[in-house]
Amino acid sequence: MPRFSIVVPSHGVAGRLSQALDSVLAQSFGDFELIPVCDAPDAPAADVVAGYAERDSRVTPVHSPPSAGLAGARNTGLKAAVGGHVLFLDGDDVLVPGALAALDARLSAVGDVDVLYFEHERTPWWEGEPTNPAAPLLARTPKGAFSPDRAPQLTGVALPAWSAVYRRAFLTERDLAFPGDHFTDVGFGGLVALRAERVAALRAVVVRHLLRRQGNRLGLPGEHHAELLDQTELVLTRAAEQDLPADRLKPLFEQLFAAVLKTAAHPRRLTSERRAFFRRASALYRRHRPAGYRAPGGSVGVQHRLLASGSYAAFRTLRAAHRTASRAAALLPRPRGLRTRLRYAAALRLPLDRNLVVYCAYWGRGYACNPAAIHAKARLLAPQLRSVFLVEPEAVGSVPPGVEHAVIGSRKYWQVLARAKYLVNNANFADVVVKRPGSVHLQTQHGTPLKTMGADQATYPVVAAATGSFAKLLARVDRWDYNLTSNRHSTEMWERAFPSAHETLEYGYPRNDVYCTASADDVARVRKALGVPDGKKALLYAPTHRDYATGFETGLDLAEFCEAIGDDYVVLLRAHYFYDQGSSRGDGRIIDVTGHRSSEDVCLAADALITDYSSIMFDYANLDRPIVAYADDWDVYRETRGVYFDLMELPPGRVARTPEELAAVFRDGSYADETATSLRAAFRERFCQFDDGRAAERVVRRVLLGEPPESIPPVIPLAERVPAPAATLVRS
């Protein structure tokens, strides 16, 4: 039997779960079992956990449905545990180095206790000093093992479940489990403290808790706050049945109602039924108030007295008095120009147009990418919706006939932004755009992240300087309701890079649908439009942007490269969209397609791809055609830009470090040999998970038509997909 069973629920934390698991497996004390609790075998966290289970026999994952919530996940883990003591660790928390050794030593010193409480550190997600809220509670506890009567302040409800280690036999013998769906720590902590007979404390930090930027899920608005009263009633009823002494009942009562009053006074947590919540809380207060209890002083005492008297009107007036003018001012739209500002503000007062969808791609560069693909599918599946594409003045000519558009900055632009129920973008709308109640913002993204993105860029000075204010960036992220991903890797990285309360849709990228639906005729048509000569093999060269460079430099002499590989090839040059000059450059062997509207068309035309670190490799891999990574400055790029994985260890095909190596793989054909094919297959398995040709349909049905998740078409397995045919090469 292991000394410890460590239960780690993982719902919604796949992006940081590896940090929690690593912190356990790196402990110097190794006598434990690690029990990650995943939603399902195909959940995002399950992919993370599977690798750990293969490498370490101490990792034994179990499954609990999302509907069971945190309480269900912990209870499932507890039932599977066989260790002498149980520790609950949230999926985005970590054990500090030496934590298990310290717990083992303390348990050995104090003997057979039911509960060992310990300190934890609450770490701000971005900046600020860590805090240790458990330290004051534990500072006054006896040195050795003791009865709970000797430390009445340890009621359990003021400490999270992961701030203690529990004797497993104590939990099972007394049938203690996590109650309810929400605020389960309150109920569990209170019940454990009431039933424990012998406890101890470790005055040292064991768990480092990462405060989420979006805050605790329990702080979000919703009807679930009524369950706080359920947990309060449960604990106080058990305390009454147990005839808890007055010196223990008073701190228990105060700590429970501190949480109740915090919720009752919060302007956004209770979106409805505020009066009902207050009245029920008032009844509980009067029923369980300890004999001779005196309310605390100050404003908190005023709230206690109002709750005791049931004076909701007075309580509501007190709450409203704390609203500040600055909060109201922060909500005012501030586009440039007084006239524009007034028009936008006036439009915001009009009702939302529930049939209006606004699209934008690449900050208005044109009709492109995922927004364009969703727009096209919506015209078929939801013709009742009015769709408006936002474009810059110079991009108006790129908008296809029949597509309604608005020029960015125009009166129409502000009108549709103010009134649209649905807003779809692959980047972000302007900072001044207001997220209206009832509107739905869909972030489609425009690539799979190899390089660091969002908040993860902060530690890379060159990138951070170009990014600007991260506070403004994250304020834009807070407007998202949905975020689209094309593979599980993206799901995990977006969670880290863009921490917020939006929902992730693992539906694939709509722009990539064409890679499974295009025909040989479509490929031939695109090649002809781009000027690819018949019989020639087209190599797409798509280098990415360098944050440490100014202007566009290919890093490769294309004329020399063409000379070295022979006359059978032409090169399609597609620079990063930052360098789109809207015109063609080059000669007959080098065709500049940077200004071509559709990167998907360009990929269809190419028989093979040459890129450095551009995210186009992830999209192109859906075509199952050869890819060569030209990594002449990988070490510099990795250090200055930051990356999420080592491309050299998981390349999409052959890797070349010099122009000579690059030319050689095309002269000898190794760019498409068995080794290259094997590397590409592994790459596709990891990064082409959800791009099956039906992504746009899934998005339209779920987001624009409001269909439930269970009715959305499932993803077609990778092995069953048939990519669009290449023009001159035979696919493996």
Side-chain angles (χ1 to χ4, degrees):
M1 179 175 68
R3 176 66 149 162
F4 298 107
S5 294
I6 304 169
V7 178
V8 186
S10 62
H11 177 67
V13 293
R16 298 191 181 275
L17 180 59
S18 60
Q19 297 177 353
L21 303 182
D22 288 342
S23 75
V24 176
L25 296 174
Q27 293 289 313
S28 57
F29 183 92
D31 186 16
F32 62 82
E33 62 171 349
L34 177 56
I35 308 175
V37 186
C38 305
D39 292 345
D42 60 348
D47 286 350
V48 177
V49 169
Y52 286 89
E54 291 176 2
R55 297 189 296 270
D56 198 313
S57 61
R58 295 173 298 179
V59 181
T60 56
V62 295
H63 299 101
S64 176
S67 58
L70 177 61
R74 286 175 173 170
N75 289 334
T76 298
L78 178 58
K79 290 178 182 178
V82 297
H85 291 79
V86 182
L87 174 67
F88 299 97
L89 184 70
D90 280 359
D92 49 2
D93 296 343
V94 298
L95 290 181
V96 301
L100 295 184
L103 290 174
D104 176 67
R106 184 59 173 160
L107 288 170
S108 298
V110 299
D112 196 23
V113 295
D114 295 328
V115 186
L116 174 63
Y117 294 102
F118 51 75
E119 297 176 7
H120 63 272
E121 186 177 84
R122 298 171 68 86
T123 305
W125 85 277
W126 188 253
E127 61 182 13
E129 293 297 322
T131 59
N132 186 342
L137 286 172
L138 302 184
R140 304 192 303 274
T141 56
K143 291 185 178 180
F146 55 90
S147 166
D149 292 334
R150 297 180 59 194
Q153 76 277 11
L154 286 182
T155 69
V157 301
L159 292 171
W162 38 260
S163 198
V165 62
Y166 311 88
R167 186 167 60 89
R168 186 170 63 86
F170 159 69
L171 297 179
T172 56
E173 290 169 1
R174 288 162 178 78
D175 198 25
L176 289 169
F178 288 88
D181 295 323
H182 298 89
F183 301 96
T184 187
D185 280 18
V186 173
F188 181 77
L191 296 177
V192 164
L194 290 175
R195 300 301 303 275
E197 297 176 357
R198 195 165 182 267
V199 301
L202 172 61
R203 296 169 192 163
V205 172
V206 171
V207 172
R208 184 167 292 120
H209 173 64
L210 177 67
L211 296 173
R212 299 185 179 195
R213 174 179 175 267
Q214 56 269 44
N216 191 305
R217 293 190 185 98
L218 298 179
L220 298 175
E223 298 178 355
H224 62 277
H225 289 283
E227 295 183 41
L228 174 58
L229 300 181
D230 296 340
Q231 302 286 0
T232 299
E233 184 172 18
L234 172 65
V235 173
L236 289 176
T237 299
R238 294 288 177 84
E241 294 170 351
Q242 194 171 313
D243 197 18
L244 197 69
D247 61 338
R248 289 188 63 190
L249 182 57
K250 178 183 175 182
L252 176 64
F253 180 85
E254 283 193 340
Q255 291 176 21
L256 284 168
F257 276 96
V260 170
L261 284 168
K262 184 177 181 180
T263 295
H266 200 285
R268 291 186 297 274
R269 290 186 181 177
L270 295 169
T271 55
S272 61
E273 303 299 328
R274 290 193 182 98
R275 186 184 297 273
F277 181 93
F278 185 88
R279 286 178 174 173
R280 184 184 171 197
S282 178
L284 284 173
Y285 189 98
R286 292 192 297 271
R287 185 186 315 145
H288 293 284
R289 178 171 48 187
Y293 176 75
R294 290 187 178 182
S299 62
V300 175
V302 174
Q303 294 182 47
H304 272 260
R305 288 188 287 274
L306 292 175
L307 189 62
S309 65
S311 303
Y312 177 72
F315 186 86
R316 183 178 58 186
T317 302
L318 178 66
R319 183 188 65 204
H322 291 287
R323 296 173 183 171
T324 63
S326 59
R327 181 179 165 210
L331 298 177
L332 291 176
R334 297 188 178 276
R336 292 183 179 180
L338 177 59
R339 182 178 299 177
T340 301
R341 189 157 61 241
L342 293 174
R343 286 174 178 164
Y344 184 46
L348 286 170
R349 291 194 291 269
L350 298 174
L352 283 175
D353 185 340
R354 300 191 177 277
N355 288 318
L356 177 58
V357 190
V358 169
Y359 299 87
C360 191
Y362 299 114
W363 304 275
R365 287 182 57 243
Y367 186 83
C369 196
N370 291 318
I374 296 170
H375 173 274
K377 184 62 68 173
R379 297 178 78 177
L380 297 175
L381 298 181
Q384 74 276 15
L385 298 178
R386 175 194 174 198
S387 299
V388 180
F389 228 93
L390 307 180
V391 292
E392 290 287 355
E394 59 271 20
V396 170
S398 70
V399 179
V403 174
E404 183 179 357
H405 68 275
V407 175
I408 292 178
S410 67
R411 177 184 295 188
K412 181 179 180 181
Y413 166 83
W414 291 111
Q415 287 175 339
V416 296
L417 279 177
R419 300 204 58 196
K421 177 177 174 63
Y422 305 99
L423 294 97
V424 181
N425 208 326
N426 73 348
N428 264 307
F429 290 98
D431 291 345
V432 297
V433 172
V434 173
K435 174 67 165 70
R436 296 185 62 178
S439 66
V440 177
H441 284 234
L442 169 64
Q443 169 59 249
T444 73
Q445 302 294 346
H446 54 270
T448 291
L450 167 60
K451 55 180 179 267
T452 54
M453 302 293 291
D456 288 338
Q457 298 174 341
T459 55
Y460 296 90
V462 173
V463 187
T467 301
S469 169
F470 284 96
K472 290 183 178 180
L473 168 65
L474 293 169
R476 296 190 289 268
V477 171
D478 284 340
R479 296 182 302 205
W480 303 354
D481 293 292
Y482 298 104
N483 184 35
L484 201 58
T485 75
S486 59
N487 48 62
R488 192 56 54 75
H489 163 78
S490 295
T491 299
E492 297 171 16
M493 297 309 104
W494 293 147
E495 180 185 313
R496 289 176 43 182
F498 302 118
S500 192
H502 54 261
E503 179 182 347
T504 297
L505 300 179
E506 292 184 322
Y507 287 175
Y509 281 162
R511 71 180 185 189
N512 291 344
D513 285 353
V514 68
Y515 298 142
C516 291
T517 61
S519 65
D521 290 341
D522 294 322
V523 173
R525 172 184 51 78
V526 172
R527 286 169 65 91
K528 182 177 180 180
L530 294 177
V532 179
D534 291 340
K536 295 290 186 181
K537 299 174 184 177
L539 306 180
L540 173 58
Y541 176 49
T544 193
H545 169 66
R546 301 295 195 277
D547 296 277
Y548 50 85
T550 57
F552 172 63
E553 297 179 3
T554 65
L556 178 68
D557 189 318
L558 291 179
E560 290 185 3
F561 173 69
C562 288
E563 184 68 24
I565 61 176
D567 294 337
D568 290 339
Y569 299 94
V570 296
V571 173
L572 304 175
L573 168 62
R574 189 168 180 85
H576 191 276
Y577 57 79
F578 284 176
Y579 310 110
D580 178 9
Q581 298 182 5
S583 60
S584 297
R585 302 186 296 275
D587 56 28
R589 293 289 306 280
I590 304 170
I591 305 172
D592 190 329
V593 294
T594 302
H596 189 76
R597 178 180 62 83
S598 170
S599 62
E600 295 76 56
D601 280 358
V602 173
C603 288
L604 285 173
D607 299 293
L609 170 68
I610 304 169
T611 187
D612 40 25
Y613 327 118
S614 171
S615 65
I616 199 172
M617 73 178 80
F618 302 100
D619 304 313
Y620 191 83
N622 284 287
L623 289 167
D624 197 16
R625 303 177 190 175
I627 303 173
V628 177
Y630 179 53
D632 59 331
D633 62 345
W634 169 248
D635 294 333
V636 176
Y637 185 87
R638 179 177 57 185
E639 292 300 319
T640 56
R641 186 59 172 86
V643 295
Y644 287 122
F645 67 92
D646 191 342
L647 184 64
M648 300 302 101
E649 294 183 0
L650 190 67
R654 291 287 186 176
V655 176
R657 294 277 194 166
T658 66
E660 292 74 21
E661 291 180 2
L662 182 62
V665 299
F666 285 96
R667 282 200 306 268
D668 62 21
S670 60
Y671 76 103
D673 65 6
E674 185 175 345
T675 298
T677 301
S678 177
L679 291 170
R680 186 169 72 252
F683 192 84
R684 280 167 48 79
E685 188 72 27
R686 181 175 182 183
F687 297 112
C688 298
Q689 287 173 286
F690 310 136
D691 288 336
D692 64 348
R694 301 190 69 180
E697 178 186 352
R698 283 189 281 268
V699 171
V700 171
R701 292 191 182 280
R702 176 71 190 284
V703 179
L704 302 185
L705 295 178
E707 295 183 7
E710 58 271 17
S711 71
I712 305 303
V715 174
I716 300 171
L718 185 64
E720 298 177 16
R721 302 174 204 166
V722 180
T728 64
L729 297 179
V730 178
R731 184 182 296 106
S732 61

